[in-house]
Each structure stands twice: as structure tokens, then as C-alpha cells.
């Protein structure tokens, strides 16, 4: 199991919440969650980020990640959101799904929008903060009534932390 010792790095761990446009349930379709997973795996394999925890809900996602020093968070996040948005919109368009119309916006630079702008991010500097956010992430599906136990929810890192399940190759356990 991969672990990372958390010290005082240049780029701290970060808790980020990314919300679907107007809290629409864009990620209800597991194919769209799989697009997110593939993109997280790509970001990890190309050494742009280290991903420590995540949960993909129907209308938002939470991550605990670290952007690697040689990359700017704004660029990594922008590319991640742009890529996943284009992939999701492509499926919606190709299958003529009604959700595409629900994501229509009147913006100068786009016809459709998947993600809200200005994701909420919090730097994590202490072990207490890190574990509080990881626990919050893992309990999110339970609070939403999607499962009874955190490790039962498929699109989460809870099983990795609780039982060492290696479903997601990009996860790196926090060691604080």
C-alpha cells in the first residue's frame, strides 16, 4: 500500500469540493463518475497530483489531494474540470440525453456548463484537519442515505482506508 509521510511541504494537502452546476445530479450516472476516476488516475500517473481521499456523489465531489510542486493548482484544476466536462457533455450530446439541456448556460465562452465556478478549497496543515476532512468525505454517502457503511459506497476511498482495498490505483494513504 502506498503511503506518504505528511510534513510541511511547499504545496500543502488540500481539501476541495467541486459542485455540479446548480447542484444538478450530473454524476448520478456512474459512467460520469468513471470519467472522473479516469481523469484522477491520469493526473496521478503523470505526476501532477497525489490523491489521498475522495468521494464522488451525485451532485458534487470531495478530494484530499496535493498538487505537485512543479504544477500550479489553478492549471491542474482547470484542466481536470475542462477535460471531465467535455467528456460528460460528449456523452450527453451523443446520446441526446435531457440533462444536456439542463446544463445549458447563457455565457459568452460556452453553451453548456457542468461544474460551478470557484470550487471551495481549504489547505490542510495539521493531522487533525487532514483526518477530519477524510472522515467527512467518507461519511458523505452515509449522511446522504446512499449506504449504511462508508466502505460500502463504491465511489469513495473509504474501503482503501478501512480495509486496504486497492480498487483505485491512484490512491496514496496519508501517514500523519
Amino acid at each position: 500500500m502506498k503511503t506518504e509521510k505528511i510534513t510541511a511541504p511547499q504545496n500543502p494537502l488540500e481539501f476541495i469540493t467541486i459542485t455540479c452546476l446548480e447542484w444538478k445530479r450530473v454524476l448520478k450516472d456512474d459512467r460520469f463518475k468513471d470519467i472522473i476516476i479516469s481523469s484522477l488516475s491520469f493526473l496521478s500517473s503523470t505526476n501532477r497530483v497525489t490523491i489521498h481521499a475522495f468521494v464522488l456523489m451525485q451532485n458534487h465531489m470531495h478530494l484530499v489531494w496535493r498538487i505537485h510542486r512543479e504544477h500550479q493548482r489553478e492549471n491542474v484544476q482547470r484542466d481536470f474540470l475542462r477535460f471531465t466536462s467535455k467528456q460528460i457533455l460528449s456523452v450527453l450530446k451523443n446520446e441526446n440525453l435531457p440533462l444536456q439541456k439542463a446544463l445549458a448556460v447563457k455565457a459568452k465562452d460556452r453553451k453548456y456548463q457542468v461544474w460551478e465556478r470557484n470550487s471551495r478549497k481549504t489547505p490542510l496543515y495539521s493531522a487533525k484537519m487532514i483526518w477530519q476532512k477524510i472522515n467527512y468525505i467518507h461519511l458523505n454517502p452515509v449522511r446522504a442515505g446512499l449506504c449504511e457503511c462508508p466502505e460500502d459506497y463504491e465511489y469513495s476511498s473509504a474501503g482503501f482506508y478501512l480495509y486496504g482495498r486497492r480498487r483505485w490505483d491512484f490512491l496514496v494513504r496519508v501517514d500523519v
Side-chain angles (χ1 to χ4, degrees):
M1 177 183 309
K2 291 189 277 185
T3 62
E4 179 184 41
K5 184 73 175 166
I6 305 303
T7 57
Q10 266 186 323
N11 293 359
L13 261 63
E14 192 174 66
F15 171 75
I16 184 167
T17 300
I18 299 168
T19 307
C20 297
L21 181 68
E22 299 170 351
W23 290 88
K24 290 180 170 69
R25 293 167 27 143
V26 176
L27 302 178
K28 182 178 180 182
D29 186 328
D30 287 349
R31 295 178 300 167
F32 301 149
K33 290 184 193 91
D34 292 336
I35 289 169
I36 305 297
I37 294 293
S38 293
S39 187
L40 292 174
S41 183
F42 173 79
L43 289 173
S44 173
S45 70
T46 57
N47 294 315
R48 294 180 190 164
V49 300
T50 299
I51 300 162
H52 295 284
F54 78 96
V55 68
L56 305 181
M57 302 295 287
Q58 293 181 355
N59 56 9
H60 68 286
M61 71 178 98
H62 298 293
L63 304 167
V64 171
W65 68 357
R66 180 193 316 279
I67 307 297
H68 292 182
R69 288 185 182 137
E70 60 275 10
H71 298 283
Q72 298 223 344
R73 186 194 47 74
E74 293 81 11
N75 296 339
V76 172
Q77 183 177 325
R78 179 201 61 222
D79 293 348
F80 169 64
L81 297 178
R82 183 181 293 158
F83 177 79
T84 55
S85 179
K86 285 183 179 184
Q87 295 296 307
I88 290 168
L89 289 170
S90 177
V91 171
L92 294 173
K93 181 180 177 186
N94 290 339
E95 296 183 15
N96 198 25
L97 297 173
L99 181 57
Q100 182 184 16
K101 277 188 180 175
L103 297 175
V105 293
K106 294 178 181 173
K108 292 180 182 179
D109 62 340
R110 68 193 64 172
K111 293 181 184 178
Y112 302 97
Q113 185 172 328
V114 173
W115 309 114
E116 287 286 349
R117 294 182 183 265
N118 303 320
S119 302
R120 185 171 179 226
K121 50 207 159 293
T122 305
L124 304 174
Y125 292 108
S126 71
K128 181 179 178 182
M129 283 182 72
I130 292 166
W131 287 111
Q132 186 270 333
K133 294 303 184 187
I134 289 174
N135 290 329
Y136 175 84
I137 285 172
H138 292 160
L139 288 172
N140 215 252
V142 175
R143 286 189 301 273
L146 298 174
C147 60
E148 288 188 28
C149 300
E151 64 273 17
D152 293 339
Y153 188 69
E154 184 176 2
Y155 289 96
S156 165
S157 55
F160 173 72
Y161 276 89
L162 294 170
Y163 299 115
R165 293 184 195 144
R166 292 296 309 160
R167 177 161 188 201
W168 317 112
D169 64 342
F170 54 80
L171 281 172
V172 176
R173 186 175 178 83
V174 171
D175 181 18
V176 287

